[in-house]
Amino acid sequence: MCGIVGYIGHQKASPILINGLLRLEYRGYDSAGIAVIEKDGISILKDKGKVNNLYNLDGIDKLEGTNGIAHTRWATHGKPSKINSHPHMDESNTFAVVHNGIIENFSELRKFLEDNNVKFISDTDTEVIPNLINYYYSKEVSRDIFSFLHAVKVACNELKGSFALEILCKDFPDNMIVVRKDSPLVIGKGVGENFIASDIPAILSFTKDFYLLNDFEYALLSRNDIKFFDNDLTEINLDTKTIEWNMEAAEKNGYDDFMLKEIYEQPTSIRETIGSTLNEDKVSFPDLNISKEYLHSLNRIYIIACGTAMHVGLATKNIFEQLCKIPVEVEVASEFRYKNPLVDSKTLCIYISQSGETADTIAALKLAKSKGAKTLAISNVIGSSITREADYTIYTHAGPEIAVASTKAYTSQVVLTTILAIYFSEILGTADTTLIDTLKKEILELPKKVDEVLTDTSAIKDFANKIYKEKDIFFIGRGLDYAITMEASLKLKEISYIHSEAYAAGELKHGTIALIENGITVISSITNPDLAHKTISNIQEVITRGAKTLVVTNQDLEGHSFDGVIRIPEVNPMLAPVVAIVPMQLLAYYVSKAKGLDVDKPRNLAKSVTVE
């Protein structure tokens, strides 16, 4: 949520800043603004609404400065408005700040500053930051660059909560300071120029070399140099990391929407993820130094995540249990934190986050570490916060995912987590080798099978056109098919705004069937031959009550009639979530398009949820 961009160099800053904000639109926002240091001080242009609105603001064409910061805001404190938009300045117009995150003690800080005669103009928590910096800056004996840095440091130590900050000071037009705590921030290194962003795609067209800050590390930037400091303001050295993403992957490349492009990229993203860990019949995780003795000592594995990533846990829980013979619990990260979980040194906690910046997931990880558990992160972003906090990290290779509703990240995560389960089982020696060999061969076939699903999508589109005006839709399945339908239901509600729920098919008779009435739609997944006849019986129960039915299946349905059937390739039931979800993703996409909605940026949602 929210986006940050910064630039200091030899070019005009404003076009670079706005371009970066446009690349961050997928994160979700309600207003946008930029601040640039000009000859007569800091100029700020901002407004409620879309980034493109900035092009129409009076004075935008007159900005000549080469040092600037920019922001897209997702409202937390204060309604969306021009006044509440970022950047914010202090009362003396000396400092300009943009901020991602939440300042939990802003009320106390605001009162403190008001008691010191500071007047505020916005309702935001952010406005306390430049005023607090100015309060401490005014007490500095000298007025050199380190006075600026020291004032920022003292102010940041007063802040409780999460923040990624870019700070300009009119007294130092050739410098910028950035700092982070629990919110994402990257610095891109150029030649005679430097770039800052909350997400790599915003500045990937300018550089592939990035610095990644840890909590309470400060960067003092000029055009030709970056100095890094710890929280004691002792200078430290940071190494750059090279990001190999192709910028074309963050463009639409002829597709109408990022989501559709990313659905069609799944054969490639799955293939890349497989290729990093599974070569023919050998599984390898070179960076996982996990011993047989440690795995044998475990009495429980937790898989902890939010939203779609949590559904990955549900889709792979059974694989871990069947192959590794270790009990697995799947937890929503925001709930795990507050239930005083039974975690100790005999617990392995696996955390899944596409961005690696999901606030609740990171907090849950820190909690588990404090209780002595080992932690393993699964992320798509090298150097993200979760990967630096975890004891171990493995990466999907999905490339940048721009659409808010996750598609290729989900399937890549399911594949990687499945391979991880196989890897653990081989170390433990707990699984039948014939089953393991079969799974490996079938995993290698997954990209081709997903490609088959994408070859002809006309039936999916036709069914979407029949149901897009509905208000309620139900999904049902058994076993892993239930996990598949939970993710399918989430996709539909995320981008179509249709109320949908997923239920275990066997639970229909225990209450849910009371909601089934003439004309309502029930969508089912049937991929397990051992459970197929049971699910078919449940579908018949809703048909007799007037429901329209769509079935996604690779099973023999001879003798049964449904309103729609989407055939998918045969696959081991353990791997079905990778293949069966694809037509469900497309169904959600086509329903949203039929309703004329913004597929990539659904209302009220953001790609990276960096606040609790």
Side-chain angles (χ1 to χ4, degrees):
M1 296 180 180
C2 305
I4 279 179
V5 180
Y7 174 76
I8 181 168
H10 50 82
Q11 304 181 63
K12 285 178 62 173
S14 57
I16 296 172
L17 297 174
I18 295 175
N19 177 269
L21 293 182
L22 289 169
R23 295 187 186 279
L24 290 176
E25 283 192 303
Y26 65 90
R27 293 175 65 94
Y29 70 102
D30 51 55
S31 58
I34 66 173
V36 178
I37 296 186
E38 299 290 306
K39 291 181 180 179
D40 57 351
I42 300 173
S43 293
I44 290 182
L45 293 172
K46 59 183 183 178
D47 205 354
K48 177 183 173 182
K50 296 297 185 181
V51 172
N52 277 325
N53 293 350
L54 296 176
Y55 288 118
N56 301 319
L57 295 182
D58 185 41
I60 192 74
D61 295 329
K62 298 177 182 178
L63 295 177
E64 300 291 335
T66 59
N67 183 7
I69 58 179
H71 190 267
T72 50
R73 176 179 186 254
W74 192 85
T76 55
H77 297 80
K79 66 182 181 181
S81 68
K82 181 174 183 177
I83 289 176
N84 288 332
S85 305
H86 294 216
H88 288 283
M89 297 192 76
D90 70 295
E91 192 179 28
S92 70
N93 293 329
T94 302
F95 297 95
V97 168
V98 296
H99 164 225
N100 279 4
I102 288 180
I103 306 304
E104 295 172 356
N105 62 333
F106 90 98
S107 294
E108 301 95 301
L109 294 174
R110 181 165 176 147
K111 183 178 186 307
F112 166 78
L113 291 165
E114 287 174 335
D115 289 344
N116 283 273
N117 301 316
V118 174
K119 291 182 173 56
F120 289 83
I121 61 172
S122 80
D123 300 316
T124 68
D125 55 339
T126 300
E127 195 183 357
V128 303
I129 300 173
N131 281 292
L132 195 61
I133 293 171
N134 185 58
Y135 173 81
Y136 288 113
Y137 183 67
S138 66
K139 297 183 179 302
E140 294 286 331
V141 176
S142 60
R143 283 291 189 272
D144 58 21
I145 189 64
F146 290 101
S147 302
F148 175 21
L149 180 62
H150 185 259
V152 171
K153 178 255 186 184
V154 176
C156 286
N157 285 343
E158 294 287 323
L159 306 178
K160 294 180 181 178
S162 60
F163 52 84
L165 305 175
E166 292 177 322
I167 306 146
L168 298 178
C169 178
K170 73 175 183 179
D171 296 342
F172 303 98
D174 299 318
N175 294 102
M176 178 193 304
I177 291 175
V178 302
V179 58
R180 56 150 290 185
K181 175 185 176 289
D182 297 332
S183 283
L185 193 71
V186 298
I187 300 171
K189 183 178 183 296
V191 178
E193 55 187 354
N194 292 297
F195 307 85
I196 305 93
S198 50
D199 217 348
I200 288 169
I203 52 177
L204 191 58
S205 61
F206 300 108
T207 181
K208 291 183 180 293
D209 297 321
F210 292 87
Y211 293 103
L212 307 171
L213 295 180
N214 292 311
D215 285 352
F216 285 111
E217 287 182 345
Y218 300 79
L220 175 61
L221 297 98
S222 63
R223 290 168 179 80
N224 298 300
D225 190 29
I226 309 174
K227 295 184 185 299
F228 299 100
F229 302 86
D230 63 17
N231 202 37
D232 295 324
L233 297 189
T234 300
E235 191 166 351
I236 57 176
N237 294 317
L238 294 183
D239 296 325
T240 59
K241 289 187 179 292
T242 300
I243 304 298
E244 298 297 344
W245 288 351
N246 187 332
M247 193 55 216
E248 290 181 1
E251 302 293 347
K252 290 182 182 176
N253 288 352
Y255 287 92
D256 289 341
D257 306 278
F258 281 114
M259 183 177 177
L260 186 63
K261 170 178 172 283
E262 287 157 9
I263 289 172
Y264 275 86
E265 285 177 340
Q266 286 177 113
T268 299
S269 61
I270 292 168
R271 188 177 294 111
E272 293 290 328
T273 297
I274 294 169
S276 67
T277 55
L278 175 60
N279 183 12
E280 294 298 332
D281 61 351
K282 183 180 180 182
V283 176
S284 176
F285 287 94
D287 296 329
L288 285 188
N289 185 23
I290 292 181
S291 67
K292 183 175 183 178
E293 291 71 25
Y294 170 69
L295 291 175
H296 268 303
S297 74
L298 296 177
N299 56 27
R300 184 179 307 175
I301 293 174
Y302 278 106
I303 301 177
I304 302 157
C306 300
T308 287
M310 188 272 292
H311 292 159
V312 173
L314 295 174
T316 55
K317 164 185 165 70
N318 186 59
I319 297 170
F320 277 100
E321 292 184 333
Q322 294 300 311
L323 299 187
C324 302
K325 314 303 181 189
I326 301 172
V328 176
E329 296 188 30
V330 180
E331 294 276 359
V332 176
S334 57
E335 293 294 319
F336 180 81
R337 294 180 57 195
Y338 300 109
K339 61 181 289 185
N340 193 20
L342 298 175
V343 172
D344 56 26
S345 61
K346 294 182 179 181
T347 310
L348 174 64
C349 293
I350 299 173
Y351 297 85
I352 306 175
S353 170
Q354 186 280 138
S355 67
E357 304 293 349
T358 310
D360 285 313
T361 305
I362 294 169
L365 187 154
K366 291 178 178 178
L367 173 65
K369 287 184 74 172
S370 73
K371 290 177 174 285
K374 291 291 186 183
T375 56
L376 189 157
I378 297 176
S379 181
N380 193 45
V381 181
I382 295 172
S384 55
S385 294
I386 198 171
T387 68
R388 284 179 279 165
E389 291 284 349
D391 296 302
Y392 308 103
T393 298
I394 57 177
Y395 291 99
T396 54
H397 291 260
E401 188 178 66
I402 305 302
V404 167
S406 180
T407 53
K408 66 177 181 173
Y410 170 82
T411 49
S412 295
Q413 288 164 352
V414 172
V415 167
L416 187 62
T417 309
T418 300
I419 296 173
L420 179 68
I422 292 172
Y423 179 69
F424 283 176
S425 72
E426 288 187 319
I427 294 174
L428 288 164
T430 48
D432 179 85
T433 56
T434 301
L435 173 59
I436 292 295
D437 290 342
T438 299
L439 285 173
K440 288 177 182 177
K441 289 176 183 176
E442 290 213 36
I443 288 170
L444 293 170
E445 292 293 314
L446 285 174
K448 183 172 72 174
K449 292 182 177 181
V450 171
D451 202 34
E452 286 180 38
V453 176
L454 294 168
T455 299
D456 183 5
T457 63
S458 57
I460 304 169
K461 190 172 184 178
D462 288 345
F463 196 82
N465 287 332
K466 294 176 183 177
I467 67 170
Y468 76 94
K469 292 183 179 180
E470 298 192 14
K471 301 297 183 184
D472 300 279
I473 291 177
F474 296 97
F475 292 80
I476 61 172
R478 287 176 179 263
L480 282 182
D481 284 311
Y482 175 38
I484 293 166
T485 59
M486 290 180 74
E487 172 61 12
S489 175
L490 177 62
K491 284 285 123 352
L492 184 68
K493 69 182 71 171
E494 279 182 315
I495 64 171
S496 76
Y497 315 147
I498 294 174
H499 169 255
S500 68
E501 298 295 338
Y503 295 94
E507 285 292 289
L508 278 173
K509 295 185 292 293
H510 298 279
T512 309
I513 203 165
L515 299 174
I516 304 301
E517 57 189 23
N518 191 53
I520 204 153
T521 295
V522 178
I523 300 171
S524 309
S525 175
I526 307 177
T527 62
N528 188 332
D530 295 335
L531 299 173
H533 69 287
K534 293 286 189 181
T535 305
I536 290 170
S537 295
N538 297 134
I539 299 173
Q540 292 297 334
E541 291 171 349
V542 301
I543 289 174
T544 61
R545 289 158 177 81
K548 298 194 300 291
T549 54
L550 173 70
V551 177
V552 175
T553 187
N554 51 18
Q555 301 300 300
D556 182 5
L557 301 181
E558 186 175 353
H560 301 283
S561 179
F562 307 104
D563 295 286
V565 176
I566 306 299
R567 302 292 310 184
I568 61 173
E570 290 188 14
V571 65
N572 186 294
M574 287 186 175
L575 304 176
V578 178
V579 181
I581 195 60
V582 177
M584 305 285 204
Q585 294 169 343
L586 285 164
L587 180 68
Y589 172 81
Y590 286 126
V591 168
S592 181
K593 292 294 286 186
K595 295 182 72 172
L597 302 175
D598 188 333
V599 174
D600 290 335
K601 298 188 287 292
R603 67 189 182 198
N604 303 331
L605 298 180
K607 184 65 178 173
S608 181
V609 184
T610 57
V611 297
E612 296 178 44

